[in-house]
Amino acid sequence: MQLRKSRFPLLLAVCAVVYGQDQPTTFEVASVKISPPIDHSKPPNFGCSGGPGTADPGLYVCHYATLQTLVIQAYNLAAYQFPYVPSGDHTTYDIEAKVPARTTLEQFRGMEQRLLAERWKLAYHFEKKPAAVYDLVIAKSGAKLRESAPDPVEKPQPAPAARVVRDEYGFRIQPADFKGQVIERNLEVARWTARGITTARMAKALAGLLKGPVTDATGLGGEYDFTIYCSAASVGLSSGPEAVGSAPAGAARAVGEEAAEGVSLPSVFAVLQDKLGLTIEKKQGFFDLFVVDHVEKVPVGN
């Protein structure tokens, strides 16, 4: 008996082609300009917002963004892969781009990369750089992490405005619905607050502190809550506010400085081991360094 060939594979192939043709590859409209001088009479507005996964997925906006910021976001790099050079160019840029509907995060990054190539004429390559690398592991004392409680079925109603409540070091108490992680400074003290984060996200934040790759080697797969306090110097926040890891926009800052003056606390790594039962192991390895071959300081006109 002769089997009749199915037409379904051909139909699927045609559908795949049509579907692929519908996928956006560029921003619908994109305005790129060198930032104007900072107006110190107005509240500062720095950084990028919008795009897939945000409250405004259809509009991507940047104010006073450096090339480093744009490249790190477009290529999903860690800061140590494309480090800031104090002696380098300090030009900043304003961007406003319309994002096509149903754009995925992967497609969005491709649009950012294409924008850098077309407007800045960015050319680059990666180099393997020998460096210290790190593993986040469970300490000999055992893990002491507390798993996050399930989200309530019904969200609590917002409470009426009340006076600001601070903890023993002068930091504002985070709201009950806070999610994510943020590191803040109050003079000599830093507070790392985390709600519903994985150890992989902890490792990413630690990579920012250590300026090198940190691999999550704990084997833990849950989501965890914690609040720890450590010396601000150990997280690179001794001289001013600075964001570390994945934090809500504008959340990392100096706060309530009246309460933490003259306080001396252990380093973040000592506190991690003591309070969370986690430690860092150092070894030699490599990471991919992003190297710019060519870039135009003044982007191509809109």
Side-chain angles (χ1 to χ4, degrees):
M1 180 177 65
Q2 185 177 6
L3 295 176
R4 184 175 60 183
K5 292 184 178 180
S6 171
R7 290 175 293 174
F8 288 117
L10 178 59
L11 179 60
L12 291 173
V14 171
C15 290
V17 171
V18 173
Y19 178 76
Q21 290 173 345
D22 290 338
Q23 300 311 295
T25 58
T26 61
F27 293 114
E28 291 183 358
V29 180
S31 168
V32 178
K33 300 176 181 178
I34 293 178
S35 304
I38 296 175
D39 184 352
H40 294 284
S41 67
K42 298 179 181 179
N45 185 10
F46 303 103
C48 299
S49 62
T54 72
D56 194 357
L59 186 64
Y60 173 57
V61 177
C62 292
H63 296 289
Y64 299 96
T66 63
L67 181 67
Q68 183 202 31
T69 298
L70 299 175
V71 168
I72 284 176
Q73 181 169 298
Y75 290 90
N76 193 27
L77 304 176
Y80 59 80
Q81 291 181 280
F82 188 39
Y84 172 71
V85 180
S87 60
D89 178 61
H90 301 293
T91 306
T92 59
Y93 305 93
D94 286 5
I95 299 173
E96 185 169 321
K98 186 176 180 182
V99 184
R102 299 181 299 279
T103 295
T104 66
L105 180 57
E106 183 179 359
Q107 291 164 350
F108 177 71
R109 287 180 177 147
M111 294 174 190
E112 293 178 295
Q113 293 171 20
R114 185 164 179 172
L115 192 69
L116 286 164
E118 292 179 348
R119 302 294 183 88
W120 282 266
K121 304 301 179 184
L122 176 67
Y124 68 93
H125 69 276
F126 283 97
E127 290 181 1
K128 287 287 184 183
K129 181 179 179 181
V133 298
Y134 307 88
D135 285 338
L136 177 65
V137 300
I138 297 174
K140 292 181 180 179
S141 58
K144 304 175 185 178
L145 288 163
R146 176 169 58 89
E147 288 207 29
S148 303
D151 291 331
V153 177
E154 294 185 7
K155 291 187 176 181
Q157 295 297 319
R163 68 181 183 86
V164 174
V165 180
R166 299 183 182 274
D167 63 19
E168 60 182 308
Y169 294 107
F171 295 95
R172 290 190 178 195
I173 302 296
Q174 293 287 2
D177 60 352
F178 171 77
K179 297 284 285 186
Q181 60 181 336
V182 61
I183 298 179
E184 301 168 286
R185 176 186 69 88
N186 184 353
L187 292 182
E188 291 94 345
V189 177
R191 180 182 71 175
W192 184 351
T193 307
R195 298 289 182 271
I197 71 160
T198 62
T199 49
R201 290 184 65 187
M202 289 180 63
K204 187 174 182 179
L206 289 166
L209 305 183
L210 292 165
K211 296 179 174 59
V214 178
T215 300
D216 174 22
T218 63
L220 301 173
E223 294 185 346
Y224 306 97
D225 298 346
F226 62 84
T227 299
I228 57 175
Y229 300 88
C230 60
S231 70
S234 70
V235 296
L237 297 182
S238 57
S239 59
E242 179 179 325
V244 179
S246 53
R253 56 192 180 275
V255 294
E257 297 190 343
E258 69 282 355
E261 189 171 4
V263 178
S264 179
L265 291 179
S267 75
V268 64
F269 304 105
V271 176
L272 278 174
Q273 182 164 336
D274 181 46
K275 301 296 184 182
L276 304 183
L278 302 176
T279 190
I280 292 289
E281 292 183 350
K282 181 180 177 181
K283 58 187 181 182
Q284 281 301 118
F286 298 85
F287 70 82
D288 291 321
L289 182 69
F290 187 95
V291 180
V292 173
D293 298 317
H294 176 81
V295 68
E296 299 288 341
K297 177 180 177 180
V298 179
V300 174
N302 302 309

